[in-house]
Each structure stands twice: as C-alpha cells, then as structure tokens.
Amino acid sequence: MIIGSLNDTERIEILNPHFKKIFDYLKSHDLQSLPLGKTEIDGDRAWLNVSEVEGKTEALAEMETHDQYIDIQLPLEGAETFGWQSRGELTHEAGSGYDVVKDITFYADRAVVFFTLSAGQFCIFFPEDGHVPCIGTGKIKKIVVKVKI
C-alpha cells in the first residue's frame, strides 16, 4: 500500500509502467468535471471510474482484494476513510469467493489500520493489500483507477 499526494508522485511513477501515464492524466484534467462512470486511459490496461457513494461505517464496509488490477483511489469530494490488512492475514472469505468478472474477493475480516484521505491525496492498493474503502459520512465522490498487473 502507498499513500501520497498528487503533488508528489515522481518516485511512485517508476513502480509500474502505467503509473506515469495515469498520474499525468490525473494532474492534467479537471477531475471534478469528469463524468460519472468509466473513462479509458490505456484500454483495459488502465482506466478510471468516477462514482458517488454513500459513506459507510467501519462495521458495514467490506474488506476486499483484487488479483488482476492495482487500485489507485482518490476522494474528490468528502473525506474518505480506508481500512487495510495484509492479504496474507485474511482468513474469512465472504460470499462465493473470487469473482473473476469483477476481479474481487470479499472478506469478513476486519481492518487493522485506518487512515483518512481528502481531495488531492491518493492511496494505491496492490493485490497483497486487503482494503476497506468508502468509510465515511454523507456522499463521497471518488475516482478508482484500475491498473492491469
């Protein structure tokens, strides 16, 4: 997991061949004016989704992991709290296991670390990062960038 600011991405951009293109896109566009839904950056290798969600309590938010994509998550409006737990420590899958179409597995495990981000900040979750997004109150407008591994 990485937590950072859009003002300081240079060292992070070298970690994945798509990161520089993604951060250049995020810095050069008016993120508030992006339409809700999916916007392609580099076909199925890198794309973003703008959504508006109702914040959830820690108890109602679900732990998740992804196998095929890295998540870069950025709140646009409203503070968003995230939970984290190492995937290797997760033991209680919820539901029917891995959904290959949505690239997601849910867990009943609880997070051990929590942090809050606001506009201009981001976090990156790799496949080894169990994460709990959308914790907060009221409406949270956010971007989730999906980066193919």
Side-chain angles (χ1 to χ4, degrees):
M1 175 184 66
I2 297 173
I3 300 170
S5 167
L6 286 178
N7 296 324
D8 187 22
T9 62
E10 187 175 335
R11 287 194 281 179
I12 296 166
E13 292 171 2
I14 64 172
L15 297 177
N16 181 285
H18 299 293
F19 282 3
K20 178 161 180 31
K21 184 179 221 177
I22 290 163
F23 284 114
D24 285 348
Y25 183 95
L26 293 171
K27 292 176 190 179
S28 65
H29 286 76
D30 177 5
L31 301 180
Q32 293 294 338
S33 68
L34 290 175
L36 294 177
K38 184 175 179 178
T39 299
E40 288 188 11
I41 298 173
D42 188 12
D44 71 339
R45 293 175 295 281
W47 50 273
L48 65 84
N49 186 60
V50 179
S51 63
E52 291 181 348
V53 298
E54 282 297 317
K56 301 175 184 176
T57 64
E58 288 178 17
L60 293 178
E62 293 183 278
M63 178 76 66
E64 61 187 57
T65 60
H66 309 288
D67 292 352
Q68 302 299 315
Y69 285 88
I70 298 165
D71 273 6
I72 303 174
Q73 299 204 22
L74 311 86
L76 295 175
E77 294 176 10
E80 181 176 5
T81 298
F82 297 84
W84 177 89
Q85 171 71 294
S86 170
R87 185 179 197 157
E89 300 294 319
L90 300 175
T91 58
H92 299 97
E93 280 190 17
S96 58
Y98 179 66
D99 182 330
V100 69
V101 174
K102 294 182 179 178
D103 183 39
I104 196 163
T105 304
F106 290 105
Y107 296 84
D109 300 82
R110 304 316 310 158
V112 295
V113 174
F114 292 91
F115 58 94
T116 301
L117 300 180
S118 57
Q121 300 173 322
F122 65 88
C123 56
I124 302 174
F125 296 114
F126 296 90
E128 62 269 17
D129 296 314
H131 55 283
V132 182
C134 303
I135 300 171
T137 57
K139 180 181 80 168
I140 301 170
K141 184 175 182 183
K142 67 183 292 181
I143 292 175
V144 178
V145 181
K146 301 299 256 182
V147 184
K148 185 88 168 160
I149 296 176

